[in-house]
Amino acid sequence: MKKPAVHFPTVATIAHEGPGSANPLAFRHYNPAEVIDGRTMKEHLRFSIAYWHAFRGTGSDPFGPGTICRPWESGKDPVSVAKVRMDAAFEFFQKIQAPFWCFHDRDIAPEGRTLAESNKNLDQIVAHAKTLQKATGVKLLWGTANLFSNPRYMCGASTNPDAHVFAYAAAQVKKALEVTQELGGENYVFWGGREGYETLLNTNLKREQEHLAAFMHLAVNYARSIGFKGQFLIEPKPKEPTKHQYDFDVASGVAFLRTFGLEKHFKFNIETNHATLAGHTFEHEIEVAAAQGMLGSIDANTGDLLLGWDTDQFNTNVKELTLAMVSILRAGGLGSGGFNFDAKLRRPSIDPEDLFHAHIGGMDAYALAFKLARRILAEGKFEQFVADRYASFDTGFGRDIETGKATFKSLEKLVLTKLGEPTPRSGKQEYLENLLNTYLHG
Ligand code: XLS
Ligand code: NI
Ligand code: NI
């Protein structure tokens, strides 16, 4: 039998060599096999590779074309190229020891001249993906539909002013749900890149939001009708490509879902770079979702402090990730979600090895953050500080406020007759920041 082609011949499976290792192609903190609390790190962290960046990213930017040329990208017809590309991808997933991958329909299979042709292309590639998933054990974290690249979606998909485009998007998502189901996807994501608007001069905002909600109801109903048991996720982003995106951040997403009776069906896929574009920190968005019991999954990346767009970089900021991990672990983890590296190489990073360095850096930073956050929570110093800070609500009139027994009248009486002026207490932020540094740097 012919031996299968090797697409990354210079790189072997990345091994864990520990923090002392000087090998740039080894993990220092991510040890997939290490058992913590009865589960391996691989199972705890559920890392996932984003197909669109890792295998469709070319390094192009608004000022110039792609710089990254992969050997498997040349071939006879687009469907055969898509198959070889997918072989390369699964070799990478295995070598980097990621248990999951994610895709948009159009990342994995070429779009045809008609919807029927696109569906046919997709079916061929999905069959191939199914074989590769079975052979490697790599699973699908989530699937989604690309409703933003094709010019037909230039004014939105479900929020397009033309019902014809809505119908087309519905047909496309129907198929995307079917293939996500076929590949055992554990979640399905909606990121509404063009579900927003540029100017009110041509936009009926209320109608567009109603259409977006109607679309989501149709998707949920159809998914359930075909027996899809995965979790639906909304991925908020404030802007880019549209100026005003309807799923601005988690808080506006919660309001949208509750307004339209969708809250039972959805959780949030939170992306670091989207959080910061919305003027929030990553951990803020996680905490807002967790407070609603709606923390679903993470798109792991970061932006650049000096650039105001979604630069989708690999995140190696252990401090930021530790704070995020504390919030995630305190909320009970991500359930069927995971950490999906929605991150791309910089334009000059053109070597196949760069794909490994990038993911090793991201995985190690998350793994270290995971360990630090576990220690922080186990020692409970911050938890204790916060509990003490709110202790006045645990008993007496504080408790009455929380349980709804207090009234303005009763509280006024208390202040006038007994309590008087409150005694200020320090928030101790600097002390706490120093305490955090003792975990990060000893
Ligand atoms: C774009 C989004 C996108 C989603 C999937 O900014 O992050 O990649 O994750 O459609
Ligand atoms: Ni994303
Ligand atoms: Ni993004």
Side-chain angles (χ1 to χ4, degrees):
M1 217 173 80
K2 208 172 118 219
K3 266 180 87 187
V6 177
H7 299 282
F8 296 97
T10 61
V11 187
T13 298
I14 306 300
H16 174 256
E17 293 185 4
S21 173
N23 177 2
L25 288 171
F27 293 121
R28 291 146 53 82
H29 303 286
Y30 177 51
N31 184 358
E34 185 180 336
V35 177
I36 298 173
D37 272 351
R39 281 199 296 159
T40 62
M41 277 189 91
K42 200 169 189 163
E43 290 163 340
H44 276 290
L45 292 167
R46 297 168 63 85
F47 286 135
S48 163
I49 309 301
Y51 205 85
W52 53 102
H53 284 313
F55 288 91
R56 299 314 308 271
T58 61
S60 67
D61 70 13
F63 302 93
T67 52
I68 297 170
C69 308
R70 301 295 186 217
W72 54 80
E73 289 297 330
S74 59
K76 332 177 228 78
D77 64 291
V79 173
S80 323
V81 174
K83 282 189 186 158
V84 181
R85 179 191 298 130
M86 188 162 274
D87 294 337
F90 274 80
E91 182 186 328
F92 177 75
F93 302 160
Q94 278 194 295
K95 285 187 167 170
I96 200 72
Q97 302 217 47
F100 291 98
W101 66 303
C102 292
F103 67 82
H104 301 86
D105 49 1
R106 303 299 177 242
D107 303 335
I108 58 172
E111 181 150 19
R113 276 163 307 163
T114 62
L115 182 64
E117 204 177 292
S118 300
N119 288 349
K120 204 173 131 221
N121 292 347
L122 195 52
D123 284 337
Q124 291 183 62
I125 300 299
V126 166
H128 193 55
K130 207 169 174 184
T131 311
L132 288 167
Q133 284 193 165
K134 203 158 169 227
T136 59
V138 175
K139 295 193 280 185
L140 180 61
L141 186 66
W142 49 262
T144 189
N146 180 329
L147 302 177
F148 44 89
S149 295
N150 190 292
R152 84 175 70 85
Y153 297 126
M154 66 183 182
C155 301
S158 67
T159 62
N160 198 289
D162 184 352
H164 188 158
V165 180
F166 183 108
Y168 202 107
Q172 194 181 326
V173 170
K174 174 179 178 288
K175 182 71 180 173
L177 284 165
E178 289 162 8
V179 304
T180 300
Q181 157 96 326
E182 171 79 6
L183 292 173
E186 300 193 17
N187 306 271
Y188 185 88
V189 164
F190 281 99
W191 168 63
R194 296 197 194 272
E195 309 294 33
Y197 71 96
E198 300 292 330
T199 171
L200 286 174
L201 295 175
N202 65 13
T203 302
N204 184 329
L205 180 145
K206 184 167 186 285
R207 241 173 142 174
E208 289 202 357
Q209 289 188 333
E210 286 165 0
H211 294 169
L212 178 60
F215 194 88
M216 286 179 175
H217 275 292
L218 292 174
V220 169
N221 290 345
Y222 182 69
R224 299 311 175 219
S225 81
I226 59 169
F228 178 67
K229 301 248 160 23
Q231 175 66 50
F232 276 100
L233 299 169
I234 280 195
E235 183 180 323
K237 184 176 183 180
K239 56 189 166 201
E240 197 209 290
T242 56
K243 182 158 75 175
H244 300 278
Q245 193 164 309
Y246 294 129
D247 309 319
F248 186 95
D249 60 1
V250 174
S252 61
V254 169
F256 171 82
L257 292 171
R258 289 196 190 285
T259 302
F260 293 102
L262 285 157
E263 70 276 11
K264 278 191 298 295
H265 306 292
F266 281 84
K267 287 186 176 175
F268 287 93
N269 182 35
I270 296 170
E271 179 163 318
T272 324
N273 205 165
H274 298 181
T276 47
L277 282 171
H280 302 306
T281 59
F282 182 27
E283 63 271 22
H284 168 85
E285 287 292 80
I286 292 168
E287 203 69 29
V288 175
Q292 301 286 332
M294 291 171 116
L295 178 59
S297 199
I298 299 292
D299 263 8
N301 65 14
T302 188
D304 187 302
L305 202 61
L306 304 182
L307 299 173
W309 66 89
D310 199 11
T311 58
D312 285 337
Q313 292 173 232
F314 285 83
N315 197 340
T316 54
N317 182 338
V318 176
K319 183 176 176 181
E320 181 182 29
L321 297 184
T322 301
L323 291 169
M325 272 294 184
V326 165
S327 289
I328 291 168
L329 295 181
R330 196 168 42 210
L334 297 174
S336 69
F339 294 95
N340 171 50
F341 290 101
D342 191 353
K344 64 185 176 206
L345 295 171
R346 295 307 87 196
R347 194 164 185 259
S349 300
I350 57 175
D351 294 344
E353 283 84 3
D354 291 323
L355 208 49
F356 285 91
H357 294 307
H359 286 86
I360 289 169
M363 290 159 102
D364 262 348
Y366 264 96
L368 179 56
F370 173 69
K371 291 185 173 173
L372 291 169
R374 281 177 54 86
R375 235 187 85 207
I376 287 171
L377 288 171
E379 292 184 9
K381 292 180 188 167
F382 296 97
E383 301 297 292
Q384 193 55 56
F385 184 91
V386 173
D388 289 347
R389 197 161 181 240
Y390 294 84
S392 60
F393 284 94
D394 293 343
T395 54
F397 68 91
R399 177 106 198 100
D400 291 346
I401 292 172
E402 284 201 348
T403 54
K405 282 200 201 120
T407 63
F408 267 17
K409 266 191 176 170
S410 71
L411 294 172
E412 182 198 46
K413 191 168 164 213
L414 262 179
V415 174
L416 288 174
T417 60
K418 224 168 114 195
L419 299 173
E421 194 62 31
T423 315
R425 277 177 70 187
S426 171
K428 294 211 170 301
Q429 183 168 333
E430 296 79 3
Y431 157 75
L432 293 166
E433 283 167 352
N434 295 351
L435 182 61
L436 179 64
N437 263 359
T438 66
Y439 289 95
L440 298 173
H441 307 293

Tab-separated table of all heavy atoms in Angstrom, residues 53 191 235 237 240 271 273-274 299 301 310 312 342, ligand 3:
chain	number	residue	atom	x	y	z
A	53	HIS	N	-7.975	29.955	9.894
A	53	HIS	CA	-6.681	30.633	10.031
A	53	HIS	C	-5.532	29.683	9.719
A	53	HIS	O	-4.637	30.010	8.954
A	53	HIS	CB	-6.501	31.166	11.455
A	53	HIS	CG	-7.296	32.393	11.742
A	53	HIS	ND1	-7.341	33.469	10.888
A	53	HIS	CD2	-8.078	32.727	12.799
A	53	HIS	CE1	-8.109	34.409	11.399
A	53	HIS	NE2	-8.571	33.987	12.563
A	191	TRP	N	-21.573	33.677	14.395
A	191	TRP	CA	-20.870	34.961	14.501
A	191	TRP	C	-21.437	35.844	13.398
A	191	TRP	O	-21.353	35.483	12.223
A	191	TRP	CB	-19.359	34.801	14.333
A	191	TRP	CG	-18.726	36.143	14.158
A	191	TRP	CD1	-18.707	37.168	15.066
A	191	TRP	CD2	-18.091	36.656	12.984
A	191	TRP	NE1	-18.101	38.275	14.534
A	191	TRP	CE2	-17.710	37.992	13.258
A	191	TRP	CE3	-17.804	36.121	11.722
A	191	TRP	CZ2	-17.070	38.793	12.324
A	191	TRP	CZ3	-17.157	36.930	10.796
A	191	TRP	CH2	-16.785	38.244	11.099
A	235	GLU	N	-21.326	34.387	19.142
A	235	GLU	CA	-19.989	34.968	19.339
A	235	GLU	C	-20.081	36.473	19.144
A	235	GLU	O	-20.123	36.960	18.006
A	235	GLU	CB	-19.016	34.341	18.327
A	235	GLU	CG	-17.597	34.825	18.512
A	235	GLU	CD	-16.633	34.198	17.500
A	235	GLU	OE1	-16.795	33.005	17.157
A	235	GLU	OE2	-15.722	34.902	17.064
A	237	LYS	N	-19.289	40.436	18.824
A	237	LYS	CA	-18.193	41.295	18.348
A	237	LYS	C	-18.811	42.657	18.088
A	237	LYS	O	-19.879	42.724	17.470
A	237	LYS	CB	-17.595	40.710	17.064
A	237	LYS	CG	-16.382	41.467	16.537
A	237	LYS	CD	-15.781	40.759	15.314
A	237	LYS	CE	-14.541	41.452	14.830
A	237	LYS	NZ	-13.946	40.780	13.653
A	240	GLU	N	-16.680	45.494	12.858
A	240	GLU	CA	-15.734	44.853	11.937
A	240	GLU	C	-16.204	43.472	11.528
A	240	GLU	O	-16.095	42.541	12.308
A	240	GLU	CB	-14.329	44.769	12.549
A	240	GLU	CG	-13.249	44.511	11.523
A	240	GLU	CD	-12.067	43.762	12.085
A	240	GLU	OE1	-11.325	44.320	12.873
A	240	GLU	OE2	-11.920	42.607	11.711
A	271	GLU	N	-14.621	35.707	22.458
A	271	GLU	CA	-13.301	35.870	21.827
A	271	GLU	C	-12.573	37.050	22.469
A	271	GLU	O	-13.123	38.154	22.555
A	271	GLU	CB	-13.473	36.091	20.320
A	271	GLU	CG	-12.153	36.287	19.607
A	271	GLU	CD	-12.270	36.104	18.100
A	271	GLU	OE1	-12.966	35.161	17.659
A	271	GLU	OE2	-11.669	36.904	17.372
A	273	ASN	N	-10.169	39.041	21.520
A	273	ASN	CA	-9.988	40.249	20.719
A	273	ASN	C	-11.309	40.999	20.508
A	273	ASN	O	-11.325	42.224	20.368
A	273	ASN	CB	-9.376	39.865	19.366
A	273	ASN	CG	-8.598	40.992	18.707
A	273	ASN	OD1	-7.842	40.768	17.790
A	273	ASN	ND2	-8.763	42.212	19.178
A	274	HIS	N	-12.419	40.266	20.515
A	274	HIS	CA	-13.724	40.924	20.386
A	274	HIS	C	-14.074	41.653	21.685
A	274	HIS	O	-14.659	42.727	21.656
A	274	HIS	CB	-14.820	39.908	20.064
A	274	HIS	CG	-14.609	39.196	18.766
A	274	HIS	ND1	-15.504	38.263	18.297
A	274	HIS	CD2	-13.630	39.273	17.838
A	274	HIS	CE1	-15.075	37.803	17.135
A	274	HIS	NE2	-13.933	38.388	16.839
A	299	ASP	N	-12.956	31.667	22.032
A	299	ASP	CA	-12.103	31.825	20.858
A	299	ASP	C	-10.827	32.485	21.351
A	299	ASP	O	-10.811	33.680	21.700
A	299	ASP	CB	-12.791	32.649	19.762
A	299	ASP	CG	-13.441	31.754	18.712
A	299	ASP	OD1	-13.485	30.524	18.926
A	299	ASP	OD2	-13.894	32.282	17.678
A	301	ASN	N	-7.506	34.149	21.395
A	301	ASN	CA	-6.578	34.978	20.618
A	301	ASN	C	-6.337	36.254	21.396
A	301	ASN	O	-6.670	36.336	22.574
A	301	ASN	CB	-7.135	35.258	19.214
A	301	ASN	CG	-8.402	36.080	19.221
A	301	ASN	OD1	-8.768	36.687	20.224
A	301	ASN	ND2	-9.091	36.119	18.091
A	310	ASP	N	-9.308	43.566	14.645
A	310	ASP	CA	-9.244	42.179	15.088
A	310	ASP	C	-7.989	41.532	14.497
A	310	ASP	O	-8.043	40.901	13.451
A	310	ASP	CB	-10.518	41.487	14.562
A	310	ASP	CG	-10.843	40.203	15.288
A	310	ASP	OD1	-10.228	39.922	16.318
A	310	ASP	OD2	-11.745	39.486	14.809
A	312	ASP	N	-6.255	39.111	15.664
A	312	ASP	CA	-6.256	37.641	15.821
A	312	ASP	C	-4.871	37.062	16.059
A	312	ASP	O	-4.408	36.185	15.321
A	312	ASP	CB	-6.857	36.977	14.565
A	312	ASP	CG	-8.367	37.121	14.492
A	312	ASP	OD1	-9.000	37.318	15.536
A	312	ASP	OD2	-8.912	37.032	13.377
A	342	ASP	N	-8.612	30.831	17.529
A	342	ASP	CA	-9.054	31.680	16.416
A	342	ASP	C	-7.971	32.748	16.230
A	342	ASP	O	-8.181	33.924	16.517
A	342	ASP	CB	-10.421	32.295	16.746
A	342	ASP	CG	-11.042	32.957	15.540
A	342	ASP	OD1	-10.364	33.050	14.500
A	342	ASP	OD2	-12.204	33.398	15.633
B	3	NI	NI	-12.614	37.413	15.549
